[in-house]
Amino acid sequence: MLTPENLKAKKSQGEKIAMVTAYDFAFAQMAEAAGVDQILVGDSLANTMLGYKSTREIGMNEMLIFVAAVCRGAPNTHVVADMPYLSDKDPQTAYDNAMRFMDLGAASIKLEGTPEGVIEFLRSKDIPVCAHLGLLPQTAENFKQKGKTEEEARAIEEAAKFVDSLGCFETVLEHIPEELGKKITNEVKSVTIGIGGGKFTDGQVLVMHDALGMHQRKLPPFATKFVDMFALGTDGFKKYVDSVKVKP
Ligand code: KIV
C-alpha cells in the first residue's frame, strides 16, 4: 500500500497518481485489481449510492459502513476516507471522527477547505490529511468553476500553500483553471490531485459512477466515461428477465 511518503516520492519523480472513488466491497476489489494508487471513499456517495441531491445529507454513520466495505475489498490500496459535512466542525470532533476511519483501515482522511484549527490538530496527532480546495461541494452555492477571477485564484493558491505548510501530504483541486492547477502543483510539496484541475496536477481523481458510466446524467465537463456500465448492467438484467420469463 502506498504511504503518504511513497506518494510524495512519486511527485518528485514526476510519476502520475491515479485515484478513483469507490464505495463498496466489489468495486474496491475491481479498483485494486486495476492497480489504482488510491481509492477515495468520497462523500459523493450521498449522490451516487444513496440518491441524495447534496453531500450534506449524510454523516459519519453512513460513511463508516462504506469505508469499512472498501477497506475490506482493497486491503492493499491506500484508502482515503472523506470527512462528511460537519464531522470536522471543530478540532476534537474531527480527530474523534478521523480516528474512527483510521481504526477501520483508512490510510488517510480528506476534508474540504480549512476549518479553523482542524488540520493543525489532526497533524499534531499524526493523522495523514488530504486537503480539498477549489470547488467545495459541501458548502458551494453552485457548481461553477472556481478561481476564475484573480482574487479567487489568489485565495485558492494561498490556501494551497497554507495546507502544505501544515503538513497535508496531498491536496485535491476541484474544478479550477488549468493554469492555476499547474501553478499550485509547482509551488507545493504536497501531491496535487485534480478533478477538473487540468493536466498538470500530480494525479487525477474521478468519481467512479462517471468513469464507469453507471448513470445516465450529463457528465461534469472534466469527467470521462471509460465504459458504459449502465448499458452493460441493463442488458445483463434484461437477459436475466428474459431467461426467467421463458415458458418451460
Ligand atoms: O466526494 C468525492 O467524491 C470527492 C471528489 C469529488 C474529489 O470529494
Side-chain angles (χ1 to χ4, degrees), residues 40-59:
L40 169 65
V41 189
D43 64 354
S44 52
L45 72 82
N47 316 117
T48 57
M49 300 293 287
L50 301 178
Y52 290 120
K53 283 222 158 64
S54 163
T55 55
R56 284 194 292 271
E57 305 277 346
I58 60 160

Side-chain angles (χ1 to χ4, degrees), residues 21 40 42-44 82 110 132 172 174 195 207:
T21 70
L40 169 65
D43 64 354
S44 52
D82 212 1
K110 175 173 87 57
H132 182 160
V172 166
E174 181 164 357
I195 175 160
V207 168

Side-chain angles (χ1 to χ4, degrees), residues 19-21 23 40 44 110 132-135 137 145 171-177 192-199 201 203-208 210 220-224:
M19 182 195 279
V20 74
T21 70
Y23 314 100
L40 169 65
S44 52
K110 175 173 87 57
H132 182 160
L133 301 172
L135 174 63
Q145 192 183 54
T171 301
V172 166
L173 297 171
E174 181 164 357
H175 209 6
I176 60 168
T192 59
I193 301 287
I195 175 160
K199 56 181 171 294
T201 50
Q204 301 288 335
V205 58
L206 274 184
V207 168
M208 179 188 98
D210 294 339
F222 45 78
T224 305

